[in-house]
Amino acid sequence: MLTDVFIRLIAAISLIILLNANDITTSSVVVSICTFLFLEITILIPKRKLADALIFVPFVVCLIFLIIRKPTNFPIYLAFLLLSLIFTYVSTILYEEVITYKQKLYKTRDDSVEIESLLKNKNKHLVLEQDQQIHLATLNERNRIAREIHDNVGHMLSRAILLLGAIKTMNSDENIMPQLEMLSNTLDESMEKMRNSVHDLRDDSIDLAKNFDDIIKELTNFQVSTELDFENNLPKEVKFSLIGILKEGVTNIIKHSKGDKVSIILHQNRNFCTLTISDNGELNSDIKKMIQSGIFEGIGLENIRQRANACNGDAYFYCNDGFTIFARLNF
């Protein structure tokens, strides 16, 4: 904008000089002021082509004024007027080209920033997906190792224990009996440690997010909203209880709910986690009475409470605006 004003200012000054070069009169001053104002006002016109076309008007007026005045150096004045016109027109066109290229540059920069942001988001998504695949592969490998240990080593140890029991039964030599007892105790201890290791491998491989996702997929006829904020390092008892509570809650919704919306919220805190399962269905009066009286037979809610109690927690049930299960599990 300032460059455009400066170009029109130079054009106005050149015309004023030209109009008053021969003699300063009232008419030359009036025409000079009008010329200056007209050139500067054209900046305010939003259509650039029209504004550029109106630049010629002051020069035409100046030419007419010179023809009427007929100065002695008319050819020189005419050449000066033509040079001023060419300078003004070329400067305006060049300025507009610069503005156009600058806008294209800004647009290109904005597009590149947007593309860079999209690429970063895609890369982040790919990294998360790769981490998830690695995590799933690790869990599958743990399950495979646990299964191999159970099927192969476990069976061999069991056979060794049975054979040793038979040898102890048939043995009549009291001198080797202590050694056989020691060997039996060693095999029993090995068997117990192997079982604990297998259980630990399987327990660590419980993918809570995948189990939740599989259970939630059963709600095909409901609009489901989820808010799952937890880490997969929860204790195994808590994982089992959460999966059991969600499974029971989803089963109850599918069987008894007459609503169309379900909300599932899981939040993990430092020493406990909470699971809320809500739907907007209307309960009949009999079920409401059972819930209010604490009699849960036949609708699976007692099972939910027992699972929560197993983790030193508790479960609560609400019948306002649908039905809500709220379970708190400590760890």
Side-chain angles (χ1 to χ4, degrees), residues 3-121:
T3 305
D4 206 10
V5 171
F6 183 70
I7 293 172
R8 281 168 168 72
L9 180 61
I10 294 177
I13 292 173
S14 63
L15 290 178
I16 291 171
I17 293 173
L18 191 61
L19 290 170
N20 296 278
N22 191 42
D23 190 14
I24 300 176
T25 61
T26 303
S27 58
S28 65
V29 172
V30 171
V31 174
S32 299
I33 294 174
C34 292
T35 300
F36 174 79
L37 293 176
F38 186 85
L39 282 172
E40 298 301 332
I41 289 174
T42 54
I43 299 174
L44 304 177
I45 298 175
K47 295 183 178 180
R48 299 308 306 166
K49 290 184 178 180
L50 179 60
D52 294 341
L54 291 176
I55 291 177
F56 292 95
V57 174
F59 288 92
V60 173
V61 172
C62 183
L63 177 61
I64 295 172
F65 185 81
L66 290 176
I67 293 173
I68 295 173
R69 295 285 297 273
K70 294 182 179 179
T72 53
N73 296 324
F74 181 77
I76 298 175
Y77 290 168
L78 184 61
F80 184 77
L81 178 65
L82 183 61
L83 289 175
S84 298
L85 175 61
I86 294 172
F87 169 79
T88 304
Y89 182 74
V90 172
S91 300
T92 302
I93 296 300
L94 291 177
Y95 170 71
E96 291 179 357
E97 289 291 330
V98 170
I99 294 298
T100 301
Y101 284 119
K102 195 175 286 188
Q103 291 175 348
K104 290 181 179 179
L105 178 62
Y106 291 154
K107 186 177 183 302
T108 303
R109 184 192 62 186
D110 294 340
D111 291 343
S112 63
V113 171
E114 184 177 357
I115 292 172
E116 183 180 1
S117 177
L118 290 174
L119 289 175
K120 285 182 178 179
N121 291 333

Side-chain angles (χ1 to χ4, degrees), residues 65-211:
F65 185 81
L66 290 176
I67 293 173
I68 295 173
R69 295 285 297 273
K70 294 182 179 179
T72 53
N73 296 324
F74 181 77
I76 298 175
Y77 290 168
L78 184 61
F80 184 77
L81 178 65
L82 183 61
L83 289 175
S84 298
L85 175 61
I86 294 172
F87 169 79
T88 304
Y89 182 74
V90 172
S91 300
T92 302
I93 296 300
L94 291 177
Y95 170 71
E96 291 179 357
E97 289 291 330
V98 170
I99 294 298
T100 301
Y101 284 119
K102 195 175 286 188
Q103 291 175 348
K104 290 181 179 179
L105 178 62
Y106 291 154
K107 186 177 183 302
T108 303
R109 184 192 62 186
D110 294 340
D111 291 343
S112 63
V113 171
E114 184 177 357
I115 292 172
E116 183 180 1
S117 177
L118 290 174
L119 289 175
K120 285 182 178 179
N121 291 333
K122 287 185 177 179
N123 287 336
K124 184 177 179 181
H125 179 72
L126 288 174
V127 170
L128 291 176
E129 188 175 351
Q130 289 176 349
D131 291 343
Q132 182 65 16
Q133 291 176 352
I134 293 172
H135 179 62
L136 291 176
T138 302
L139 297 182
N140 292 333
E141 183 64 15
R142 285 183 177 180
N143 280 328
R144 187 191 66 80
I145 293 173
R147 188 167 55 250
E148 290 289 336
I149 293 174
H150 179 269
D151 294 343
N152 296 325
V153 181
H155 289 170
M156 293 176 66
L157 283 175
S158 298
R159 186 170 62 180
I161 291 172
L162 291 175
L163 290 174
L164 182 59
I167 292 172
K168 286 171 61 178
T169 302
M170 297 174 63
N171 176 57
S172 58
D173 189 352
E174 295 295 332
N175 293 327
I176 65 172
M177 200 63 185
Q179 287 78 7
L180 292 177
E181 286 293 336
M182 185 182 300
L183 179 59
S184 177
N185 293 334
T186 302
L187 287 175
D188 289 339
E189 184 180 357
S190 300
M191 189 68 175
E192 184 64 26
K193 288 185 177 181
M194 187 212 68
R195 285 175 179 170
N196 292 334
S197 298
V198 169
H199 285 306
D200 289 340
L201 280 173
R202 285 182 173 172
D203 293 340
D204 290 340
S205 65
I206 298 172
D207 191 342
L208 190 59
K210 186 178 185 302
N211 280 274

Side-chain angles (χ1 to χ4, degrees), residues 208 230-236 238-239 242 268 273 331:
L208 190 59
F230 67 93
E231 298 177 0
N232 208 47
N233 60 353
L234 289 169
K236 60 181 180 180
V238 175
K239 288 183 180 180
L242 287 172
Q268 178 181 346
C273 62
F331 52 84

